[in-house]
Amino acid sequence: MKEFIFNATFVFQIIVFIISSYYMIISFFGLRLKKEDNNEVEPQKSFALIVAAHNEEMVIAQIVESLKNLDYPKELYDIFVIADNCTDNTAKIAREHGAQVFERFDSNKRGKGYALEWMFNNIFEMDKKYDAVVVFDADNLASRNFLKEMNKKLVAGYKVVQGYIDSKNPNDSWITHSYSIAFWSANRLFQAARWKLGLSNQIGGTGFCVDTELLKRFGWGATCLTEDLEFTCKLVLNGYKVGWAHTAVIYDEKPLTLKQSWNQRKRWMQGFADVATRYFTKLMKKAIKDKDFVAFDCALYTVQPFIILLLGMSLILTYLQTHSEKGLNIFIIQYLFTPIVWKLFSVFQFMFTPIVMVLERKLSKKMLAFLGLYSLNVFLMDRVITRGDSIIKISLLNLAYIGIVSAAILSVEGIKGFKVYIWYLLYGIYTITWIPITLQGIIDKNKKEWSHTKHTRQISISEIEGIDGSTAA
């Protein structure tokens, strides 16, 4: 039985290790951005800017004003707001600020996907024609160069382009900071890396641009909980790739609380699981038949929920093996490496994200050094913790080391630096919560219930640019 357990866990852990290595290798290509032609491209393309809104009276004025002030000829774009099943003053406020408002009331077809499909059909029937449509959420703000960058990509031949999704409120709570870290990392290690390798990027739900004729040809037809992922899969199946505009920035408001975050991420995982069951096989068939690595990569992305569960199971097996007095005859990946190599790899894993944050100018080099100091606990704790030590002892020793590093940060960087340090440590908890959230999402994949995040304050683009310029602690 012991041999069976070891062999079974060996096969399982190796599979997880190969999948993880695939993502890590690709992520390395995002560390250095692809060189682009920085020459100005004359504005040529016309755009229909579409803002999807449901009871967004608190924030709708800010996104409309942000779009009105884009650095792009005003005659080449129009702003449309979908007031979708609104019971507040969203439509009234949007009109007062100069947007063209389309009100939609449909109690059966609820949700952003249906609203966008309805609005796209309205755009197609208009006398005025647009080269492309751009989709925003009501709580977004856009950088002034946004349309200039989209125009440049469309002129270069792209039909679909995703912009850089940044955070509108990274310093509001540890949850918003965790979200921000996740998006900053994904922009660089996932999106920019695939852009550099010539793979397809993924539409991120907001801040994306689609060629009107392409949209008309394929139809939106994406009405699941992650309509962005569904449309990306349709594009890849038809031989198209989503482009990436790293300097076209959309500031997106992140949930403040764990409860709000849980509900939103559960919805994402429901949508992922739904899309995976409908598109994974199709994409893999295309990948094999056409020797299409773009389709293969996209197929792997659709099964993220299942990969997260595999990683969670691997984490649990590793914990059980390393924290039992005599071991449970479970194979763990660290057996493939010498102790020193494994410790160095652990430090690298911890420091990889902060390095990316420095590259994205979201973290100072001083704070990077302090996080590096903290990462050395993997060497120090090994000298004082032995197999079979109680959870209480291990926790107290780790808390003591956290306290020592905290004191050093407070003396040099003050409260702001201390907050960044603690919130980065809490990011680990945020990451672990993906496991139960994903499990819930897979179980409830057929329940298409939309949860609306309530916004409690207003932020302008000028405030955001000020915040963004001083994010690094």
Side-chain angles (χ1 to χ4, degrees):
M1 186 63 182
K2 287 184 177 180
E3 185 177 352
F4 172 78
I5 292 173
F6 185 85
N7 290 335
T9 54
F10 172 81
V11 172
F12 174 78
Q13 296 277 37
I14 291 298
I15 291 172
V16 174
F17 181 69
I18 290 171
I19 295 171
S20 301
S21 298
Y22 171 81
Y23 279 106
M24 181 172 288
I25 290 168
I26 285 183
S27 72
F28 289 150
F29 289 90
L31 293 176
R32 189 170 183 177
L33 294 177
K34 182 179 178 180
K35 289 184 178 179
E36 283 197 285
D37 183 0
N38 293 321
N39 293 328
E40 285 285 326
V41 175
E42 182 182 348
Q44 300 176 29
K45 302 295 183 178
S46 59
F47 297 91
L49 310 186
I50 300 174
V51 180
H54 170 67
N55 289 343
E56 301 285 9
E57 63 182 7
M58 180 63 70
V59 294
I60 194 65
Q62 281 66 45
I63 176 62
V64 173
E65 289 299 321
S66 171
L67 298 179
K68 282 167 62 179
N69 291 318
L70 294 177
D71 184 16
Y72 201 75
K74 299 299 180 277
E75 67 274 12
L76 288 179
Y77 74 93
D78 291 309
I79 304 167
F80 301 93
V81 170
I82 317 168
D84 187 43
N85 289 300
C86 291
T87 57
D88 64 356
N89 292 317
T90 297
K92 178 176 178 290
I93 294 170
R95 283 194 185 97
E96 289 173 350
H97 285 267
Q100 298 182 45
V101 179
F102 284 67
E103 296 187 69
R104 172 182 177 270
F105 297 95
D106 190 329
S107 58
N108 295 318
K109 295 182 177 180
R110 302 177 64 87
K112 181 180 173 183
Y114 288 112
L116 288 177
E117 186 170 44
W118 176 81
M119 189 64 214
F120 292 152
N121 289 330
N122 280 298
I123 294 291
F124 298 154
E125 293 172 3
M126 290 179 182
D127 292 332
K128 184 175 181 179
K129 302 304 177 184
Y130 300 92
D131 294 312
V133 297
V134 186
V135 175
F136 298 96
D137 287 338
D139 60 357
N140 293 168
L141 297 169
S143 61
R144 294 195 72 238
N145 69 327
F146 190 87
L147 286 186
K148 275 190 172 181
E149 294 303 313
M150 290 296 163
N151 174 72
K152 184 186 293 186
K153 293 291 182 180
L154 292 177
V155 170
Y158 286 99
K159 298 295 184 182
V160 185
V161 186
Q162 175 61 53
Y164 184 110
I165 303 179
D166 205 334
S167 178
K168 187 176 171 183
N169 56 332
N171 301 316
D172 281 2
S173 71
W174 75 274
I175 286 292
T176 64
H177 197 72
S178 293
Y179 260 89
S180 303
I181 292 172
F183 274 84
W184 295 331
S185 302
N187 285 332
R188 191 91 182 203
L189 304 180
F190 183 91
Q191 299 280 36
R194 278 163 176 75
W195 167 54
K196 190 173 184 178
L197 288 169
L199 299 172
S200 177
N201 289 99
Q202 290 290 329
I203 296 174
T206 186
F208 65 92
C209 170
V210 184
D211 176 87
T212 306
E213 289 304 313
L214 180 75
L215 186 59
K216 191 183 296 184
R217 177 183 166 194
F218 291 121
W220 183 241
T223 53
C224 73
L225 293 176
T226 48
E227 73 284 339
D228 48 352
L229 174 61
E230 185 176 1
F231 191 65
T232 302
C233 291
K234 287 171 64 176
L235 291 171
V236 173
L237 283 172
N238 285 280
Y240 290 91
K241 292 188 289 188
V242 178
W244 175 247
H246 199 79
T247 56
V249 183
I250 318 97
Y251 298 95
D252 183 54
E253 187 168 338
K254 311 304 181 188
L256 287 168
T257 67
L258 180 59
K259 182 180 179 180
Q260 290 175 333
S261 166
W262 193 289
N263 290 336
Q264 185 184 66
R265 289 185 287 153
K266 178 190 170 186
R267 175 172 64 80
W268 290 345
M269 290 298 100
Q270 286 175 265
F272 259 91
D274 177 29
V275 171
T277 57
R278 291 185 290 119
Y279 285 93
F280 175 74
T281 303
K282 294 177 184 177
L283 287 163
M284 286 302 292
K285 283 181 179 177
K286 178 175 174 59
I288 295 168
K289 181 182 176 182
D290 300 340
K291 296 181 176 60
D292 188 342
F293 192 68
V294 173
F296 172 78
D297 183 67
C298 187
L300 271 190
Y301 183 68
T302 65
V303 292
Q304 281 286 4
F306 306 99
I307 293 174
I308 290 172
L309 288 187
L310 291 178
L311 290 169
M313 291 172 64
S314 176
L315 185 65
I316 292 169
L317 289 172
T318 301
Y319 180 85
L320 291 173
Q321 177 66 13
T322 55
H323 288 81
S324 59
E325 190 171 350
K326 296 181 180 179
L328 300 174
N329 217 47
I330 294 171
F331 176 83
I332 55 179
I333 290 298
Q334 68 188 69
Y335 291 165
L336 298 175
F337 305 94
T338 63
I340 185 65
V341 170
W342 183 253
K343 288 183 178 66
L344 289 171
F345 181 66
S346 298
V347 171
F348 166 77
Q349 282 185 305
F350 180 82
M351 292 300 298
F352 194 37
T353 298
I355 289 170
V356 171
M357 291 170 66
V358 170
L359 292 175
E360 289 295 291
R361 299 180 181 178
K362 306 297 184 182
L363 185 74
S364 70
K365 291 180 180 179
K366 279 186 181 179
M367 283 306 304
L368 179 68
F370 279 118
L371 289 171
L373 175 64
Y374 172 79
S375 72
L376 296 179
N377 72 339
V378 70
F379 295 99
L380 298 175
M381 293 300 153
D382 191 50
R383 294 181 173 275
V384 294
I385 294 175
T386 58
R387 181 185 287 273
D389 278 346
S390 68
I391 295 294
I392 294 176
K393 179 183 176 182
I394 295 170
S395 299
L396 288 174
L397 287 169
N398 276 287
L399 284 172
Y401 192 71
I402 289 172
I404 292 169
V405 177
S406 296
I409 292 173
L410 281 167
S411 64
V412 176
E413 293 290 290
I415 293 295
K416 184 179 178 182
F418 172 72
K419 186 185 287 187
V420 169
Y421 166 62
I422 295 299
W423 280 355
Y424 184 71
L425 298 185
L426 290 174
Y427 176 62
I429 296 175
Y430 167 88
T431 303
I432 290 172
T433 61
W434 274 109
I435 298 171
I437 288 171
T438 299
L439 186 59
Q440 273 191 298
I442 292 172
I443 293 170
D444 295 338
K445 73 180 181 68
N446 294 320
K447 295 180 181 178
K448 295 183 179 180
E449 299 174 358
W450 285 81
S451 57
H452 178 251
T453 302
K454 187 176 181 180
H455 307 293
T456 57
R457 66 191 177 103
Q458 300 171 332
I459 307 175
S460 68
I461 189 64
S462 57
E463 291 177 278
I464 286 293
E465 287 170 345
I467 292 170
D468 193 50
S470 58
T471 299

